[in-house]
Amino acid sequence: QSVQQGIEWTWSEGMKERDHNLFEIASSVNGRIVNLSRPDNVLDFPPYRYFFADDGHHLSNEGHKDIARRVSRLVKTVGIHPNPRLGSWDETGRDVCVSWYTTGECPLPYSGEGVRMDNWFARKFALTFPFGHMDGVISFTNPTSTLMDLYMDYMSNGPLPGYYPLTEIIVESQWDGVAPAQIKRVYIDPSEPYSVHVVKPAFIATLPPGPYILRIRPVEPNKEHPFRIVGINLSDPSNRFNTPEVHIVEPNDCVDVLDLRDPSAAPPLGSKLSLFHYMDPKTTEVKKKKKGHERTTNHEKIESYVCDNVYN
């Protein structure tokens, strides 16, 4: 029907660029790439739709079977290297990756009322942090001799409003002989606009060597599930990547929200509103530019929620 209406469908240029980059990466280590079946003409794609689950993102059972068959044929052809090379994820060789997503075994100390390791799905585990309790805590160390970027892996779900709560993350130093100090406070929105349930990394802060704690506190009530963390990573700052779900909101930011918003849109004191309430544009009518940077609608939503429900 869309073709009859004059819409011309083509494979995206971004996909071609991605395929080229993957080929270059694989060639650099004498690797091979296994792809799902895909027609040359995008108009012939509908019969291939069954390779994907209903969310259009994950593979269906048939998709997994197709990949398994292709990997099996490739292994039978090229064999398995008897001495595979193991290396670092970054160029410096100092990366640290701790994940309990598939094992449920967390080597890092953690504590807090209601905080527990949850086998929430078959062979999937997470540390869970419920709303309404004191901060949960995870202790960790930057064991290197240099600055490292801290990433936290968490579960994210959609479509909106999602079933994980907006959560406050605070990093505190625990250096010997020095009083604990707050390094960074951020807010993470674990909701997606489309139907998906995935692990996502969040860049939290750049940290010098030494011991730290993460304080984790969900700040949004009435969500179906607690906030779920599945891993912590330290990586070379030169390889930093953007994680737009992380938001910085300071108390002085709330001046813009309170002064410029329609007064009738302000919630009563003590209200326990959901983040979804702030999808209404009139509740986030604040300055579009701040400190020389363009502000997104999603950040305005987070900022308004935090000002009304955390700092208020």
Side-chain angles (χ1 to χ4, degrees):
Q1 184 178 0
S2 62
V3 174
Q4 294 173 351
Q5 294 173 351
I7 297 177
E8 297 182 3
W9 293 92
T10 61
W11 294 116
S12 71
E13 292 299 318
M15 183 178 293
K16 295 178 182 178
E17 181 180 359
R18 182 206 64 183
D19 289 347
H20 173 75
N21 291 338
L22 289 175
F23 177 79
E24 292 290 324
I25 293 171
S27 298
S28 69
V29 293
N30 196 28
R32 307 294 179 92
I33 295 177
V34 175
N35 290 312
L36 275 173
S37 301
R38 189 179 78 188
D40 293 331
N41 188 338
V42 69
L43 296 181
D44 297 327
F45 178 74
Y48 294 78
R49 178 65 180 83
Y50 73 96
F51 284 129
F52 294 91
D54 292 339
D55 61 15
H57 176 80
H58 293 91
L59 296 180
S60 64
N61 288 337
E62 288 302 319
H64 281 290
K65 290 177 182 177
D66 184 74
I67 288 291
R69 286 191 292 266
R70 292 168 182 273
V71 170
S72 178
R73 286 197 296 267
L74 179 61
V75 170
K76 290 178 181 178
T77 301
V78 302
I80 299 176
H81 199 289
N83 298 299
R85 183 181 67 179
L86 300 179
S88 171
W89 286 105
D90 64 13
E91 296 175 358
T92 64
R94 293 187 292 263
D95 62 286
V96 178
C97 178
V98 181
S99 174
W100 46 91
Y101 183 53
T102 60
T103 65
E105 298 176 2
C106 178
L108 304 176
Y110 61 89
S111 61
E113 184 181 357
V115 177
R116 65 187 183 91
M117 182 66 71
D118 183 21
N119 184 190
W120 58 275
F121 196 74
R123 298 184 299 280
K124 292 183 179 180
F125 300 83
L127 283 178
T128 59
F129 297 81
F131 175 84
H133 296 282
M134 296 296 290
D135 300 351
V137 170
I138 301 176
S139 301
F140 69 99
T141 299
N142 174 0
T144 73
S145 59
T146 188
L147 291 170
M148 295 289 276
D149 279 353
L150 168 67
Y151 293 87
M152 186 188 73
D153 298 332
Y154 65 97
M155 297 304 303
S156 188
N157 164 263
L160 296 173
Y163 50 56
Y164 293 125
L166 178 71
T167 297
E168 178 186 79
I169 307 293
I170 295 176
V171 187
E172 287 185 2
S173 63
Q174 299 285 297
W175 303 324
D176 290 340
V178 180
Q182 179 177 311
I183 305 296
K184 188 89 170 279
R185 180 200 306 262
V186 300
Y187 293 88
I188 293 178
D189 178 13
S191 301
E192 301 293 334
Y194 45 88
S195 180
V196 71
H197 195 189
V198 293
V199 176
K200 301 197 77 172
F203 167 63
I204 306 297
T206 301
L207 303 176
Y212 298 88
I213 63 172
L214 276 179
R215 295 193 179 276
I216 300 100
R217 181 171 70 106
V219 296
E220 186 181 9
N222 305 320
K223 302 298 282 190
E224 185 176 348
H225 294 290
F227 189 70
R228 288 172 172 158
I229 299 177
V230 300
I232 287 178
N233 312 300
L234 295 170
S235 181
D236 179 4
S238 65
N239 293 327
R240 182 180 304 162
F241 53 92
N242 184 35
T243 56
E245 296 80 4
V246 178
H247 303 267
I248 299 174
V249 182
E250 300 294 344
N252 59 356
D253 296 332
C254 298
V255 174
D256 288 346
V257 175
L258 299 178
D259 288 352
L260 299 178
R261 187 177 54 195
D262 180 354
S264 64
L269 289 175
S271 299
K272 291 188 178 297
L273 300 173
S274 71
L275 188 60
F276 196 61
H277 165 81
Y278 290 83
M279 296 294 288
D280 185 343
K282 71 175 181 294
T283 69
T284 57
E285 193 173 321
V286 296
K287 289 180 180 178
K288 296 297 181 185
K289 287 193 175 182
K290 178 180 174 184
K291 299 178 183 177
H293 298 286
E294 194 71 24
R295 301 169 69 224
T296 66
T297 300
N298 195 47
H299 180 76
E300 292 177 5
K301 175 185 69 174
I302 304 298
E303 186 177 68
S304 291
Y305 181 90
V306 171
C307 289
D308 285 341
N309 299 276
V310 180
Y311 291 142
N312 194 342

